[in-house]
Amino acid sequence: MQHLSVKHLLGIKDLTREDINLILDTAGNFKEVINRPIKKVPSLRDITIANIFFENSTRTRLSFELAEKRLSADVINFSSSSSSVKKGETLLDTVNNILAMKVDMIVMRHSSVGSPHYLSKHIKAKIVNAGDGTHEHPTQALLDAFTIKEKFGHVEGKKVCIFGDILHSRVALSNIFALQKLGAEVMVCGPITLLPKYIKDLNVKVELDLKKALEWCDVANVLRIQLERQTIKYFPSLREYSLYYGINKSLLDSLNKEIMIMHPGPINRGVELSSDVADSHHSVILNQVENGVAVRMAVLYLLAGATE
């Protein structure tokens, strides 16, 4: 078995191009497994994994749990809303209590940037970052890259535009890192108030006009407005945002080419995407969900074999 160059999956920034390609190739094998009548393999039969989520999640949490069970791992689910964190217990104490139960790997989502990185310096278990604040969401970027590769045969040379709330999105940053490492061209498009000041330092193109961005790209990765992370108003109203940055079918039909529509979910229908786009033949949104299980199986399998 080939190995990753890292012990933990904390962010795409830490991975090499070879690491990413190894994960994508391994995910291709696991996708065949999960489409068989018997979907389980015994690869992680002796491994115990704790899913520790300090933020609400549906797709990511279910996807990780299913991936773990498909690999025959023992799974513990932890929710901060019903834990001793509410009583004032620290993050490190919480995790160390879980590790005392002989847990081998932790999948963690936390609202604070750098939380998984902090833990990785203090505990022996392997850590998978399932999203830390507005920083990174590495497995989402990996499944997005896998979906593009599955559609086109390769990622290199493809033009991918990320639309929407770039400022508050961990998906955007991880996608930029992953796509660039795989040789894609990357653009971001959205209201200037939702573009971070450092965006040009990431060597991406910036476009404020929705139609021009759509005409440029092969793939549109559309993000929702992260209202739960916003403390001030960045635009007048959702109606106005939708008017200028919402993608609908008539807009896609006006292009002189077909583009692929992606979305990490959850979709705010009628805001960033109309229903006739989200449910159209352009959309690979449900493919992304399916691919997420295979990619997370690959990540867990490869980390379990990572050298200490």
Side-chain angles (χ1 to χ4, degrees), residues 11 49 66 77 85 113 124 138 143 157 161 164 170 188 213 239 255:
I49 303 174
L66 192 54
N77 286 311
V85 171
V113 170
K124 291 183 178 179
L143 74 89
C161 187
R170 51 191 168 214
V188 295
R239 183 177 178 276
L255 304 176

Side-chain angles (χ1 to χ4, degrees), residues 150-295:
E150 188 177 55
K151 174 79 172 178
F152 296 107
H154 56 90
V155 178
E156 189 166 7
K158 288 295 155 192
K159 294 179 177 179
V160 183
C161 187
I162 304 170
F163 293 85
D165 187 357
I166 312 298
L167 182 62
H168 300 96
S169 174
R170 51 191 168 214
V171 173
L173 194 58
S174 286
N175 261 273
I176 289 168
F177 291 148
L179 292 166
Q180 288 178 337
K181 288 184 179 187
L182 293 173
E185 293 183 64
V186 185
M187 175 184 282
V188 295
C189 177
I192 196 164
T193 53
L194 290 176
L195 300 180
K197 292 178 181 178
Y198 62 78
I199 193 67
K200 289 186 178 177
D201 296 336
L202 297 178
N203 198 30
V204 300
K205 298 177 189 295
V206 177
E207 178 57 68
L208 302 180
D209 186 283
L210 177 67
K211 181 79 179 288
K212 288 179 182 176
L214 289 170
E215 288 171 342
W216 175 85
C217 70
D218 302 307
V219 180
N221 197 344
V222 187
L223 309 177
R224 71 181 176 87
I225 303 298
Q226 308 275 321
L227 292 173
E228 72 279 9
R229 297 197 187 117
Q230 296 181 11
T231 54
I232 61 172
K233 285 185 76 101
Y234 289 86
F235 47 86
S237 66
L238 287 178
R239 183 177 178 276
E240 185 159 325
Y241 178 88
S242 180
L243 185 65
Y244 286 97
Y245 289 100
I247 299 175
N248 55 51
K249 193 161 188 304
S250 63
L251 185 55
L252 291 186
D253 290 343
S254 71
L255 304 176
N256 57 7
K257 61 177 182 179
E258 288 226 346
I259 64 171
M260 188 169 101
I261 300 290
M262 307 178 75
H263 196 301
I267 305 168
N268 287 325
R269 290 175 181 258
V271 180
E272 69 270 12
L273 283 181
S274 63
S275 287
D276 53 8
V277 171
D279 302 327
S280 71
H281 69 280
H282 296 277
S283 170
V284 293
I285 296 169
L286 292 180
N287 301 76
Q288 289 173 267
V289 176
E290 180 184 358
N291 291 339
V293 177
V295 166

Side-chain angles (χ1 to χ4, degrees), residues 67-132:
E68 291 150 9
K69 290 179 176 178
R70 293 279 186 258
L71 291 166
S72 302
D74 292 321
V75 180
I76 301 170
N77 286 311
F78 168 94
S79 173
S80 63
S81 61
S82 57
S83 74
S84 294
V85 171
K86 292 290 184 184
K87 303 173 186 175
E89 188 174 61
T90 67
L91 171 62
L92 190 55
D93 281 341
T94 298
V95 173
N96 275 328
N97 274 282
I98 293 169
L99 293 180
M101 303 175 201
K102 307 305 177 188
V103 169
D104 304 292
M105 194 177 296
I106 286 174
V107 176
M108 188 174 83
R109 169 169 289 189
H110 202 285
S111 59
S112 297
V113 170
S115 297
H117 305 72
Y118 168 76
L119 271 191
S120 70
K121 293 177 173 65
H122 292 87
I123 66 174
K124 291 183 178 179
K126 291 167 184 177
I127 299 172
V128 180
N129 180 6
D132 62 323

